[in-house]
Amino acid sequence: DTMGPVNLRAEEEAAELERQIQGMQAEKDDLVQAIARLRQGISSLNREGRERLAAAFETVNKHFQELFVRLFGGGRAHLSLAAVEEGKDDPLEAGLEVMASPPGKKLQTLSLLSGGEQALTALSLLFAVFLTNPAPICVLDEVDAPLDDANVGRFCDLVAEISRTVGTRFLVITHHPLTMARMDRLFGVTMAERGVSQLVSVDLARAEQLREAV
C-alpha cells in the first residue's frame, strides 16, 4: 500500500525512453561528426588562406619597394608582418608594418615620417595593391594635396604609366594645377550666376591636337 499501485506500463515506458535515448545518442554522434568536419574545413581554409596571403604579400611587397623608389626618387622601403601577440606567428592574425627610408633618412616606421612622406608612402602602398589586382576604373580623391610640385610630377608620371600599361581609367579629384594639366579631360563646376551651377568639360588631349594642327 505504501508503494502505491503497480505501473503495468513500466516496461513499455522503459522501452520508449530507451528509444528516445538512442535517438538522442544518434543526434549527438551526428553533431560530433559535423563539428569534426567543420573543424577540418576551417583548418583547410586557414591553410589555403595562409598560402594565398603569403603569395599576395610577396607580390605587394615587391611592387611597394619598386614604387617607393620611383615616387621618392630613391630610398628604400619594405612591408613586414608583425605578430599581434608575442609568440604568435600566424600570418592571418598578424599586423602590417610599413618600414620606409626616404632619401637621406634612416629606416623607420610610417608613423615617424612627415605628412608629405606619409602621403607618398601610402600612395606607393595603394598602387602596389592595385597593381597586384588591377581594376578597370580607379578613383583618387585629393591624394596629391599634401605633395610638393616635384612629387606631384612623379605621381602623375606613375598614373600615366599605369593607365597606359594596365589600361585602367583614372578619375582624379584634385585642385592641383599640375595634376589637372596632365589629365586627358577636365570636368569642373562653375557658377556663372549666383546660385546657378554649370558643369564644364574640357578635352585637353583634343585641345593639344588642335593646337598642333594650327
Side-chain angles (χ1 to χ4, degrees):
D1 291 339
T2 302
M3 292 177 61
V6 176
N7 185 4
L8 300 179
R9 297 189 68 254
E11 187 175 357
E12 296 179 4
E13 291 178 356
E16 184 178 351
L17 290 174
E18 183 67 25
R19 287 193 297 271
Q20 292 180 5
I21 292 174
Q22 292 177 355
M24 294 172 63
Q25 185 63 43
E27 292 177 356
K28 175 188 174 183
D29 294 340
D30 290 341
L31 286 175
V32 171
Q33 294 177 8
I35 291 174
R37 289 194 299 268
L38 183 59
R39 287 177 175 173
Q40 183 179 2
I42 292 174
S43 177
S44 177
L45 287 175
N46 285 341
R47 182 172 60 254
E48 183 179 356
R50 293 185 185 96
E51 294 174 355
R52 290 191 177 188
L53 177 61
F57 178 81
E58 291 299 325
T59 305
V60 172
N61 191 27
K62 179 181 178 181
H63 288 314
F64 175 67
Q65 294 176 7
E66 297 172 353
L67 294 176
F68 182 90
V69 174
R70 288 192 54 183
L71 288 177
F72 276 89
R76 59 191 177 95
H78 70 273
L79 303 174
S80 63
L81 295 175
V84 178
E85 297 181 9
E86 187 175 355
K88 289 188 175 182
D89 56 355
D90 188 353
L92 296 178
E93 299 181 1
L96 179 66
E97 285 189 352
V98 181
M99 305 298 297
S101 173
K105 292 190 176 182
K106 64 180 182 179
L107 192 66
Q108 52 193 333
T109 60
L110 180 64
S111 59
L112 298 179
L113 300 177
S114 65
E117 291 170 341
Q118 288 183 0
L120 213 56
T121 303
L123 278 176
S124 303
L125 180 56
L126 174 68
F127 282 121
V129 176
F130 183 81
L131 288 177
T132 304
N133 187 22
I137 297 177
C138 179
V139 180
L140 302 174
D141 188 359
E142 298 286 359
V143 297
D144 56 351
L147 306 180
D148 57 22
D149 290 349
N151 289 329
V152 168
R154 297 192 188 100
F155 161 72
C156 292
D157 291 338
L158 181 59
V159 170
E161 180 179 344
I162 295 176
S163 177
R164 183 175 62 256
T165 58
V166 180
T168 299
R169 290 183 175 271
F170 285 93
L171 178 61
V172 183
I173 302 172
T174 181
H175 290 88
H176 202 292
L178 293 180
T179 304
M180 289 189 286
R182 295 288 298 274
M183 297 297 104
D184 295 329
R185 181 182 292 271
L186 292 179
F187 295 93
V189 178
T190 183
M191 187 177 294
E193 302 178 12
R194 184 176 180 84
V196 180
S197 299
Q198 183 179 0
L199 181 64
V200 178
S201 173
V202 179
D203 190 342
L204 295 182
R206 178 60 178 167
E208 290 182 358
Q209 294 176 359
L210 292 176
R211 185 182 63 179
E212 293 176 356
V214 173

